[in-house]
Amino acid sequence: MQRKEIVVIDDDESIAWVVKSALEQHGCKVATKGTISRGIKSIKDSTKVVLLDLVLPDGSGLDALTEIREMYPDVTVIIITAHGRMQSTIEAMKRGAYDYLEKPFDIEELILIIDRACRDFDLRREVKSLKKEVFAGEIPQMIGKSPNIVRVFKQIGRVAGKDITVLITGESGTGKELVARAIHFNSDRSDGRFVAVNLASIPANLIEGELFGWVKGAFSEAKKAYQGKIAYADGGTLFLDEIAELDINLQAKLLRFMQDREFAPLGSNDVKKADIRIMGATNRDLKKAVEEGRFRDDLYYRFNVVEIKIPLLRNRHEDILPLARYFLKLAEKKFHTEEKQLTRDAKKFLQHYDWPGNVRELENMIYKAVVLSSGTTIEERDLSSDEIARFTIKDFFEEKIKRYLSEMAKLENGNLYETILCEVEKAIIEIAVDYTHGNQLKATRILGINRNTLHSKIKEYKIKCNSNRKKKK
Ligand SMILES: Nc1ncnc2c1ncn2[C@@H]1O[C@H](COP(=O)(O)OP(=O)(O)OP(=O)(O)O)[C@@H](O)[C@H]1O
Ligand SMILES: [Mg+2]
């Protein structure tokens, strides 16, 4: 059986002595201290129970209780209180004391409480270690041995144990959320929750409530109170993804919260505190957003205490095949398929592709190949990406639209939507007509529109259309 280690903090020497000798006879290891400072110093990781008097020469037992609970959350504190101090006893229970004994107390009763407290302590430790084991399977591994990703691993190691804000930057699918998780699970907050909120996926008018929560009746649809993600993450980590997308008004509110970790749910003046570590991520150039006035510089500095930049997958070439093998194994487990190998051509393809969607794209590509391929090999033709078209077209439009936006934003009554759609429509028709050397029938088939529509669009946009048009590359 594990040893019962007890610390008694009481300046009444006779009580301390009686307790010590009774508990030692019961097989406990007991240290007695007459002051808070010496008492707290003698608490160790293996201490199971602290017996604490409420009135001590160097301070109040209540404050000591708070301190002990914060420093050693597993340790059980039992208050030994003088008769007539009921009010402070209640307060002590509120602050997390396990039980209380009124002086003079019965030794048998003391031993019963100590036994129960030690059993609970052992149980708590056991649950904790089981939880760690269970989580160990859940903590996603980070694969990689290229110098670029090893640099990231080292940074994770350096910041994990320090309770500081971290900004994680990198393009889409590089592993920003995974890095945030790795930091959380390697920090002192690993027993707390990891709560991720993607600020780009929530409509702007709902973000404030999602973060800070609301009270019943705060707005017409608020039929029930909602605690919000910040309160939910209390004791753990809040990961704010896509922070560059945050509306400027909300940036001010988030900044206020980050300064003092205090907030009030919507519809309430009741200020609450949350003990959370905040991490942010973005795939945008936040510095540029600050320069352009879209992101508050004070919030930027709050986030950017430490920045971890995750490299593009194509800049960590050595990691592609190990990641592919890792996803193969995961896919086999996930889809209960037989073991599959990549052929030489398939490996070559993976190594030469430029991965616009980074690790996420590789992961999806492998999963798809595992499901679709028959037999025990994955060949080059099994590997295809949905991302290729999506990414290049999105990138293309993004650049153009941004330029339009900056021009049209100056106009009071801009017509951005129409203008861009017309431009795009014109370009698509021109490209199809070029591609088919002016053969309208072929062009309609490629475009998936009928001949009359094509005809009227050609007229509308004054597209030159004869078979002499050269095929553009
Ligand atoms: N080094 C790695 N080892 C193993 N898996 C990885 C690694 N990096 C990323 N992944 C996996 O790739 C996927 C994408 O990662 P993650 O969601 O963290 O990227 P992200 O940068 O947050 O993407 P987005 O910008 O799209 O939100 C996840 O399934 C993640 O588990
Ligand atoms: Mg993400």
Side-chain angles (χ1 to χ4, degrees):
M1 205 179 77
Q2 286 147 326
R3 190 96 194 246
K4 295 171 187 160
E5 290 188 28
I6 321 281
V7 172
V8 182
I9 310 177
D10 195 331
D11 57 332
D12 184 332
E13 281 171 12
S14 60
I15 288 196
W17 186 84
V18 171
V19 170
K20 185 175 161 71
S21 51
L23 292 179
E24 277 176 350
Q25 280 175 50
H26 188 60
C28 302
K29 184 179 168 199
V30 185
T32 57
K33 304 289 165 190
T35 61
I36 293 173
S37 60
R38 281 194 289 129
I40 288 183
K41 254 186 224 145
S42 67
I43 300 174
K44 296 193 226 96
D45 198 46
S46 50
T47 303
K48 295 188 179 174
V49 180
V50 172
L51 285 168
L52 178 66
D53 187 14
L54 280 183
V55 184
L56 286 147
D58 57 341
S60 127
L62 279 179
D63 295 339
L65 167 66
T66 306
E67 205 175 324
I68 296 169
R69 297 283 306 148
E70 271 172 16
M71 287 168 67
Y72 305 95
D74 286 346
V75 170
T76 298
V77 183
I78 297 169
I79 301 295
I80 6 182
T81 163
H83 185 67
R85 291 192 177 274
M86 216 49 217
Q87 200 46 48
S88 37
T89 310
I90 292 169
E91 181 59 30
M93 297 305 281
K94 272 205 224 154
R95 291 194 195 190
Y98 179 82
D99 210 336
Y100 69 91
L101 281 164
E102 217 169 276
K103 292 178 191 172
F105 46 78
D106 182 43
I107 290 295
E108 288 304 310
E109 192 189 352
L110 170 72
I111 288 174
L112 272 180
I113 293 182
I114 294 274
D115 279 349
R116 182 157 51 85
C118 288
R119 250 198 333 270
D120 286 359
F121 175 96
D122 291 342
L123 209 66
R124 259 199 311 277
R125 280 277 159 99
E126 202 176 324
V127 168
K128 226 179 183 173
S129 79
L130 274 177
K131 218 160 113 188
K132 272 218 170 102
E133 267 173 44
V134 173
F135 267 132
E138 274 189 17
I139 299 173
Q141 266 194 63
M142 286 207 70
I143 306 293
K145 54 181 176 26
S146 63
N148 275 341
I149 201 73
V150 168
R151 208 168 302 137
V152 171
F153 294 166
K154 280 188 191 156
Q155 277 178 300
I156 294 175
R158 245 175 263 138
V159 301
K162 305 191 181 78
D163 216 24
I164 46 174
T165 306
V166 179
L167 176 67
I168 305 164
T169 57
E171 285 197 10
S172 191
T174 45
K176 297 184 290 295
E177 182 160 346
L178 191 65
V179 166
R181 279 180 195 276
I183 295 173
H184 170 79
F185 282 108
N186 285 290
S187 76
D188 292 342
R189 296 178 173 270
S190 61
D191 282 338
R193 293 192 177 97
F194 175 87
V195 179
V197 182
N198 187 327
L199 297 172
S201 70
I202 307 169
N205 59 331
L206 302 183
I207 292 180
E208 188 176 359
E210 188 60 26
L211 291 178
F212 300 111
W214 59 75
V215 293
K216 189 176 160 188
F219 44 93
S220 54
E221 292 89 26
K223 305 271 182 265
K224 273 199 297 190
Y226 172 63
Q227 68 167 342
K229 291 288 200 277
I230 286 177
Y232 186 63
D234 196 10
T237 301
L238 181 71
F239 173 61
L240 297 175
D241 205 354
E242 315 256 16
I243 50 166
E245 310 306 318
L246 197 62
D247 166 281
I248 202 97
N249 290 325
L250 274 170
Q251 288 178 22
K253 289 182 178 156
L254 181 61
L255 178 73
R256 229 167 296 138
F257 172 70
M258 285 178 80
Q259 279 163 345
D260 48 22
R261 297 291 195 265
E262 282 183 355
F263 68 102
L266 295 181
S268 152
N269 293 322
D270 189 12
V271 175
K272 295 186 171 195
K273 267 197 162 302
D275 166 32
I276 56 176
R277 179 186 199 168
I278 297 184
M279 284 191 248
T282 180
N283 53 19
R284 306 215 167 245
D285 185 346
L286 212 52
K287 196 96 203 260
K288 202 163 146 224
V290 172
E291 281 159 18
E292 289 171 1
R294 286 180 287 114
F295 202 83
R296 292 178 66 115
D297 60 347
D298 41 10
L299 186 60
Y300 171 72
Y301 290 114
R302 279 269 158 193
F303 265 110
N304 200 8
V305 178
V306 173
E307 179 179 351
I308 299 186
K309 284 188 190 152
I310 313 190
L312 295 169
L313 181 56
R314 64 170 163 275
N315 292 339
R316 37 180 158 133
H317 206 252
E318 306 94 302
D319 296 340
I320 296 172
L321 289 184
L323 276 166
R325 272 185 230 112
Y326 169 71
F327 291 132
L328 256 180
K329 286 267 160 295
L330 282 188
E332 284 158 11
K333 253 205 234 155
K334 216 171 163 147
F335 307 120
H336 307 287
T337 53
E338 55 190 327
E339 227 180 284
K340 296 187 193 236
Q341 303 282 340
L342 293 157
T343 62
R344 251 169 88 192
D345 284 349
K347 284 184 194 162
K348 224 162 135 188
F349 168 81
L350 295 177
Q351 284 177 307
H352 288 99
Y353 181 56
D354 76 340
W355 302 110
N358 294 293
V359 185
R360 185 194 307 287
E361 186 183 6
L362 173 60
E363 181 177 17
N364 290 342
M365 199 188 275
I366 298 286
Y367 286 178
K368 209 157 98 183
V370 166
V371 173
L372 297 181
S373 65
S374 48
T376 56
T377 55
I378 290 179
E379 301 183 31
E380 186 185 345
R381 67 182 146 87
D382 298 319
L383 299 168
S384 67
S385 174
D386 303 333
E387 314 260 343
I388 302 174
R390 192 165 73 78
F391 267 88
T392 49
I393 287 183
K394 184 177 164 264
D395 290 347
F396 170 77
F397 282 144
E398 211 170 63
E399 244 332 281
K400 306 273 173 208
I401 291 172
K402 263 192 207 150
R403 230 180 291 158
Y404 264 103
L405 260 179
S406 60
E407 281 305 309
M408 307 240 349
K410 294 175 203 148
L411 302 174
E412 282 260 312
N413 299 311
N415 193 7
L416 184 67
Y417 184 78
E418 273 294 317
T419 312
I420 287 180
L421 285 195
C422 289
E423 286 287 327
V424 170
E425 191 172 41
K426 183 179 173 198
I428 292 171
I429 291 174
E430 258 181 337
I431 290 166
V433 170
D434 272 351
Y435 187 77
T436 57
H437 304 281
N439 183 332
Q440 291 190 21
L441 190 65
K442 270 193 189 167
T444 57
R445 284 200 203 117
I446 293 175
L447 292 165
I449 59 176
N450 69 39
R451 220 170 160 173
N452 282 342
T453 312
L454 179 66
H455 200 68
S456 68
K457 292 290 171 194
I458 287 174
K459 255 176 96 179
E460 185 183 340
Y461 294 126
K462 300 193 179 73
I463 294 172
K464 283 202 191 110
C465 188
N466 54 47
S467 45
N468 294 333
R469 284 185 77 111
K470 267 192 264 154
K471 186 180 167 187
K472 279 185 194 163
K473 274 236 160 172

